[in-house]
Amino acid sequence: MSLAVPGYLHTITVPTPFPIGPVNVYLAEGDPLTLVDVGPRYEPARAALKRGLAAYGHQLAEVGRIVLTHAHADHSGLAAEVARLSGAEVLTHALNIPWLDGGSGARRLAFYADVLRWAGVPPQMLLRLSRMRRGMSRYEEPLTPDGTLSDGDVLRLGDEEWVVLHTPGHTGGLICLHQPRRRLLLSSDHLLRHVSSNPIVEPPPPGEKERPRRLVDYLAQLRRVAALDIALALPGHGPVINDVPGLVRERLAFHERRARQVMDALGDEELTVHRLVERLFPALDPVNYFLAASEVIGHLQWLEERGEVQSQQRLRVAYWRRRRE
Ligand SMILES: [Zn+2]
């Protein structure tokens, strides 16, 4: 690793049962012993986390603090168990709490049923998607965090201060940690070397009505991070990133190309999200179908904001077309 990485900070790579592959957990030695993300509730992950801690002379029971970057099972599924075992304090962004505490299950299901109907998804696919969601919940255990982290908060890791960056996009509550003097970023799933971080469709935060525009948020946060003069980013999956501005440029170009593909797929027709997904990415399994639908919705919202497409709802289904002057 580069010289920019302090001696108190270690990467522990933990397997996951998900297509994304292993997840990077970060161990910060010092008081309190801190884990940034923990991995999924999955035996090989549990074993790898224990081994990773042991390699630096620690055990799970010593963990004093867990920082969760976002509420996806591959990052946070094991947090309840580690906290129970160690008494560690769990901190995350407030927007992650409704996803972690398990209390919003019914509201979430209602949201997805509604958004997928709006997307024109046929009933058989709805059924397969709800089965998939139930399968995923095996890899996480509900938990109520002890405290919240907001943009600009300062957190001590090792003997240094790290700044919390709230970077909504991949999820609404996603946070990165920034050490400005070292020009170092723990980028979680905001910035990954080999995969573009898909902004996932999510319900609006409690008390709000408007559906989030995650891709629009994400692109703004990408530009924000590119402007921070970061020498090295340590991501949630895969290898370190030593050219943050270059990678951000690549990602922005990718989304621009994808937006063009959505426009081409629309042609002069009026189509639902589902029909566009079928055209752009035929024959997907439910997990990838859901990710593809999230991606298409994100790009349509972005194109709508730019005045290039418009939608019309009939019987609660949205139909999209190019905007005519
Ligand atoms: Zn992830």
Side-chain angles (χ1 to χ4, degrees):
M1 270 211 196
S2 140
L3 284 174
V5 179
Y8 60 80
L9 189 68
H10 311 287
T11 308
I12 300 176
T13 301
V14 158
T16 81
F18 305 116
I20 184 81
V23 65
N24 297 325
V25 168
Y26 293 96
L27 166 67
E29 295 184 288
D31 188 20
L33 189 70
T34 301
L35 288 175
V36 178
D37 290 338
V38 288
R41 181 173 170 245
Y42 173 57
E43 183 44 38
R46 195 180 282 122
L49 183 60
K50 283 185 193 163
R51 267 199 314 275
L53 283 165
Y56 299 102
H58 300 290
Q59 43 186 346
L60 279 180
E62 278 172 63
V63 176
R65 182 172 55 183
I66 298 168
V67 175
L68 297 177
T69 63
H70 61 300
H72 281 166
D74 50 342
H75 299 260
S76 60
L78 202 57
E81 193 178 309
V82 177
R84 199 163 46 238
L85 225 125
S86 59
E89 168 185 45
V90 180
L91 304 177
T92 193
H93 192 275
L95 288 177
N96 294 320
I97 295 177
W99 295 91
L100 289 166
D101 68 14
S104 59
R107 179 174 169 269
R108 209 184 302 177
L109 282 181
F111 169 81
Y112 282 114
D114 187 61
V115 88
L116 293 169
R117 187 176 331 113
W118 171 84
V121 176
Q124 320 86 285
M125 187 49 108
L126 289 177
L127 212 72
R128 293 175 68 197
L129 287 169
S130 76
R131 241 179 262 138
M132 166 198 91
R133 274 222 59 86
R134 276 202 298 279
M136 301 275 269
S137 62
R138 243 187 311 152
Y139 301 109
E140 59 201 346
E141 182 186 340
L143 129 134
T144 306
D146 303 293
T148 57
L149 295 170
S150 309
D151 194 77
D153 282 356
V154 172
L155 205 64
R156 233 178 149 70
L157 297 184
D159 53 0
E160 294 179 306
E161 299 196 324
W162 289 70
V163 183
V164 175
L165 304 180
H166 178 215
T167 52
H170 175 63
T171 74
L174 191 130
I175 51 172
C176 299
L177 298 176
H178 181 212
Q179 215 300 318
R181 201 178 49 82
R182 289 186 185 271
R183 302 166 58 215
L184 194 58
L185 184 76
L186 295 183
S187 64
S188 184
D189 287 3
H190 185 49
L191 205 53
L192 303 172
R193 172 83 267 174
H194 297 309
V195 233
S196 80
S197 308
N198 197 355
I200 310 277
V201 179
E202 272 180 3
E208 286 179 35
K209 277 233 157 69
E210 206 183 324
R211 198 172 292 147
R213 295 169 171 246
R214 287 282 176 253
L215 183 65
V216 174
D217 295 342
Y218 176 65
L219 297 175
Q221 294 300 328
L222 269 186
R223 293 190 184 97
R224 177 190 181 196
V225 160
L228 284 178
D229 187 29
I230 284 158
L232 190 71
L234 306 177
H237 304 273
V240 301
I241 299 155
N242 41 34
D243 177 16
V244 169
L247 186 60
V248 167
R249 271 195 303 277
E250 252 176 61
R251 292 291 176 261
L252 294 173
F254 164 80
H255 288 292
E256 196 60 57
R257 275 199 308 280
R258 182 67 91 214
R260 274 8 295 165
Q261 286 169 343
V262 171
M263 290 297 278
D264 290 346
L266 265 178
D268 288 320
E269 291 176 85
E270 193 186 49
L271 298 173
T272 63
V273 170
H274 174 70
R275 296 272 285 128
L276 279 166
V277 173
E278 281 189 325
R279 249 178 220 190
L280 287 160
F281 317 96
L284 295 176
D285 61 79
V287 175
N288 285 305
Y289 176 88
F290 179 71
L291 295 176
S294 281
E295 192 171 329
V296 168
I297 291 169
H299 286 87
L300 285 169
Q301 290 174 327
W302 186 36
L303 286 164
E304 186 177 40
E305 195 167 278
R306 290 158 43 154
E308 297 189 53
V309 300
Q310 61 191 47
S311 68
Q312 218 184 30
Q313 284 199 46
R314 291 194 294 275
L315 299 171
R316 294 168 76 189
V317 177
Y319 295 84
W320 297 84
R321 60 161 61 246
R322 286 168 187 257
R323 193 183 175 113
R324 306 238 164 75
E325 294 315 318

